Amino acid sequence: MTGMRWDAQRLDAEEPATLPGMPSMRGLLRSVQVPEFPGLTFHEVRSKSALNEVPGDSAVPFRWTINPYRGCSHSCVYCFARGTHQWLELDTGKDFDTQVVVKTNLVDVLRRELARPSWRREHVALGTNTDPYQRAEGRYRLMPGVIGALAAAGTPLSILTKGTLLRRDLPLLAAAARDVPIGLGVSLAVWDDDLHASLEPGVPGPRARLELVRAIADAGLSCGVFLAPVLPGLTDRLADLDAALGAIAEAGATGVTVVPLHLRPGAREWFSAWLAREHPQLVPRYQQLYRRGAVVAPEYRTWLEQRVAPLLARYGLDRQAGGAARGADGTPAGIPGDADRAFPAGSLPATRPRGRPVAEPAGEQLPLL
């Protein structure tokens, strides 16, 4: 493997633990496989930067992100971030699931960047690309250092995850929330156990993630839930949506956003292959619904909004900012990062766009940006 685009993270060190053939991958410290994570290869690299600046023309309500890992062992067939693995000249399918890049020096680099006089303490988002609490975090423990560095620098932060490993850091997050605004978001998509195992085999089950929402609320922190993605013909039955929203409300979520499936390049090909293999009868319907590209057809967004609205009202979720089926009025269908309206209440810190802090209104929940 030569010519990999890893020069910005180069170390050029070879160690005995490096896998055969891997030292030719420029910019790589080592590639390791460990017994506790069978089937995964961790590519340990050094990063020149920790804070990633979002392009100025982006609609997202934050300017900065941090991605401790690239690739994701959650292995969600529908993951919108799959296309990013192509930049490393790895495929968006199995490689994305099993070849995980770890920025081993991330915390040290972040502390240096936050100490710069030019840093304006703007909101930093984690989990907008790959999950910071995927299985690799159990080995590398980067997140405690990231949270601590951001809080010490007076920097608001948000975390979006499917990983129940976040529970490990709840005491740290609760302490940090006394110093800086914090938003937490949990993503739930599939409630059927067999479908969950097929679509997102590396993700903790939905009930475990509901318990995470409950634990976050019990810790005195806000937590917005993304009921996402809703898959046409698979997870959009009225009974499933009713059960999901009822459980989310009961768990103490601050807000909820219902988001239909979004099929970006990379994810589209991988998901389409899965659909043809597992549910071939649905292929014509998906071809029709996604005839315009990544975003589902407007008629489906309208249908989903009409189906969800009474349920949101039933469980009191329509009274909370972020309680809506997104994209039904012609705006993008919404995946995490599309725009501020795609984020449920509690999933973002109490800041204005581009990081200008505001005071939290007395007696009210954390507002969206």
Side-chain angles (χ1 to χ4, degrees):
M1 300 174 67
T2 60
M4 300 295 288
R5 300 178 182 176
W6 296 33
D7 281 342
Q9 300 164 329
R10 67 177 301 123
L11 185 67
D12 293 338
E14 297 184 20
E15 298 188 5
T18 303
L19 296 176
M22 287 299 183
S24 64
M25 188 182 291
R26 294 184 299 170
L28 183 64
L29 168 58
R30 62 176 186 165
S31 296
V32 296
Q33 295 173 341
V34 292
E36 59 266 37
F37 300 107
L40 294 180
T41 300
F42 298 128
H43 302 292
E44 299 177 357
V45 301
R46 288 192 180 272
S47 179
K48 287 186 176 179
S49 63
L51 292 164
N52 309 303
E53 187 169 7
V54 177
D57 59 353
S58 174
V60 297
F62 42 79
R63 185 179 176 186
W64 302 96
T65 66
I66 296 174
N67 295 301
Y69 308 102
R70 301 187 67 166
C72 186
S73 59
H74 286 341
S75 305
C76 301
V77 175
Y78 52 75
C79 181
F80 67 88
R82 286 184 174 276
T84 63
H85 238 42
Q86 290 180 320
W87 193 87
L88 297 176
E89 298 177 12
L90 296 170
D91 73 54
T92 64
K94 186 176 180 181
D95 282 351
F96 181 85
D97 299 339
T98 62
Q99 307 291 317
V100 178
V101 179
V102 182
K103 300 175 182 178
T104 57
N105 64 334
L106 180 76
V107 176
D108 290 338
V109 174
L110 176 61
R111 288 180 179 139
R112 291 198 299 269
E113 292 177 340
L114 295 174
R116 293 172 181 167
S118 59
W119 178 243
R120 298 177 58 191
R121 298 179 175 85
E122 300 178 64
H123 167 206
V124 175
L126 294 107
T128 60
N129 189 33
T130 55
D131 199 319
Y133 283 105
Q134 60 177 286
R135 279 184 280 176
E137 175 61 17
R139 172 181 172 87
Y140 291 97
R141 298 182 62 88
L142 296 177
M143 285 300 291
V146 169
I147 295 166
L150 292 170
T155 298
L157 67 133
S158 65
I159 301 172
L160 171 61
T161 186
K162 295 179 180 179
T164 53
L165 184 56
L166 181 142
R167 293 186 72 155
R168 180 199 67 194
D169 293 341
L170 277 179
L172 179 60
L173 286 163
R178 294 193 286 267
D179 299 320
V180 296
I182 288 178
L184 298 175
V186 174
S187 178
L188 298 166
V190 182
W191 295 85
D192 177 86
D193 289 339
D194 292 337
L195 188 59
H196 162 71
S198 180
L199 267 174
E200 40 186 34
V203 182
R207 292 160 189 82
R209 279 175 278 164
L210 273 178
E211 288 304 311
L212 173 61
V213 174
R214 196 183 313 277
I216 292 171
D218 289 345
L221 299 169
S222 62
C223 181
V225 170
F226 297 82
L227 186 58
V230 174
L231 294 99
L234 292 170
T235 64
D236 58 359
R237 293 183 305 173
L238 183 60
D240 292 335
L241 295 170
D242 190 357
L245 291 169
I248 289 168
E250 196 275 332
T254 314
V256 64
T257 295
V258 181
V259 187
L261 177 67
H262 193 102
L263 288 177
R264 287 181 177 173
R268 187 184 186 101
E269 295 80 3
W270 195 242
F271 178 83
S272 296
W274 174 87
L275 189 70
R277 182 175 66 251
E278 301 293 333
H279 300 277
Q281 75 281 5
L282 289 177
V283 169
R285 184 180 180 190
Y286 273 75
Q287 290 173 339
Q288 173 65 17
L289 289 177
Y290 291 90
R291 61 189 182 276
R292 299 187 178 185
V295 178
V296 72
E299 60 266 25
Y300 182 85
R301 298 199 300 269
T302 300
W303 176 87
L304 182 61
E305 181 185 36
Q306 292 171 347
R307 171 157 285 202
V308 166
L311 301 177
L312 295 171
R314 177 183 304 173
Y315 297 111
L317 295 169
D318 60 333
R319 296 190 295 273
Q320 301 178 5
R326 300 308 185 189
D329 58 358
T331 56
I335 56 172
D338 271 355
D340 60 341
R341 64 177 287 126
F343 289 81
S347 65
L348 296 174
T351 60
R352 294 190 189 277
R354 296 311 190 197
R356 294 186 290 277
V358 295
E360 180 182 350
E364 297 182 12
Q365 63 186 17
L366 292 178
L368 283 176
L369 297 182

